[in-house]
Amino acid sequence: MDNEFDRYYIKIRTRLGIDPTTIHEELTTALGPNAPSYRTVARWAKRFREGREDVNDEPRSGRPVSELTDENIELVRQFINNDPHSTYDDSTAETSLSHGTIERIIHECLKMRKVTSRWVPHQLTDEQKQERVRLCRENLTKFRGGSWRLCNIITGGETWIYYRQIGHKSTNTS
């Protein structure tokens, strides 16, 4: 948006007959390091002198800015639903989308992450929340009834710890 305002200023000053050097000096005084370069000011001044009216850039051909289209998001969603144990490489081969696009779709659009080699949602659905509440209530009932103890509950995190027992120096020599 700042470029657009700079270009409007260049357009008006060019119409008033002011040379690009003076326009650049004025923009530098007003904007400091955020001012456009002299070359940019001169290029836009020339375009406006030649009759250009629009201050926006011309549309460019080439690669699209984003592949995060609804069709691609749905394609990745269907692929993961069919095979929740899939990898990025599997998804890339199946959908012909880049690794970065697949990663962005999975994490930003679908809000999923990999847990125990399976894709799961970051946020739980209402049904999943209700199921967790039901299971917690069931466990609480068992605990209060005396059929369960806290030491019977196994918990775990996602931290992997490498365990290796190191013997004495004399036993490690071969």
Side-chain angles (χ1 to χ4, degrees):
M1 193 67 172
D2 292 334
N3 291 341
E4 190 176 335
F5 292 129
D6 296 344
R7 292 173 191 165
Y8 275 119
Y9 184 81
I10 295 167
K11 180 179 178 179
I12 291 168
R13 301 298 281 170
T14 301
R15 289 260 175 99
L16 293 173
I18 299 173
D19 63 295
T21 305
T22 306
I23 296 172
H24 179 256
E25 290 170 359
E26 292 170 348
L27 285 170
T28 303
T29 302
L31 302 175
N34 296 328
S37 68
Y38 171 75
R39 181 70 190 115
T40 301
V41 172
R43 188 176 330 123
W44 279 98
K46 180 181 178 208
R47 290 175 185 165
F48 293 134
R49 275 194 310 274
E50 292 172 349
R52 181 174 177 146
E53 292 295 323
D54 190 14
V55 295
N56 296 313
D57 286 325
E58 297 292 330
R60 298 178 187 160
S61 63
R63 184 176 172 183
V65 175
S66 174
E67 292 182 339
L68 298 180
T69 62
D70 292 337
E71 295 157 356
N72 288 343
I73 293 170
E74 189 56 34
L75 182 66
V76 172
R77 180 192 326 269
Q78 289 300 322
F79 181 73
I80 289 175
N81 286 343
N82 292 340
D83 183 11
H85 299 283
S86 62
T87 63
Y88 287 119
D89 292 335
D90 296 338
S91 302
T92 302
E94 182 70 25
T95 62
S96 301
L97 297 172
S98 70
H99 179 87
T101 301
I102 296 285
E103 187 174 350
R104 210 168 21 259
I105 288 173
I106 290 172
H107 294 289
E108 294 174 14
C109 301
L110 299 178
K111 305 278 190 229
M112 298 181 108
R113 63 188 177 117
K114 197 85 155 181
V115 176
T116 61
S117 75
R118 182 183 172 106
W119 290 109
V120 296
H122 275 288
Q123 298 172 342
L124 299 176
T125 63
D126 289 336
E127 294 82 25
Q128 291 169 326
K129 290 177 188 176
Q130 291 301 320
E131 180 64 14
R132 285 191 177 194
V133 168
R134 187 190 66 75
L135 290 172
C136 288
R137 286 186 177 148
E138 183 180 307
N139 290 340
L140 186 59
T141 304
K142 288 178 182 179
F143 176 72
R144 286 183 179 157
S147 63
W148 259 32
R149 297 179 306 171
L150 287 178
C151 62
N152 292 344
I153 298 175
I154 299 172
T155 62
E158 294 182 17
T159 305
W160 286 77
I161 300 171
Y162 179 71
Y163 174 75
R164 180 176 151 212
Q165 188 167 0
I166 301 173
H168 293 292
K169 213 175 196 183
S170 60
T171 60
N172 288 337
T173 58
S174 314

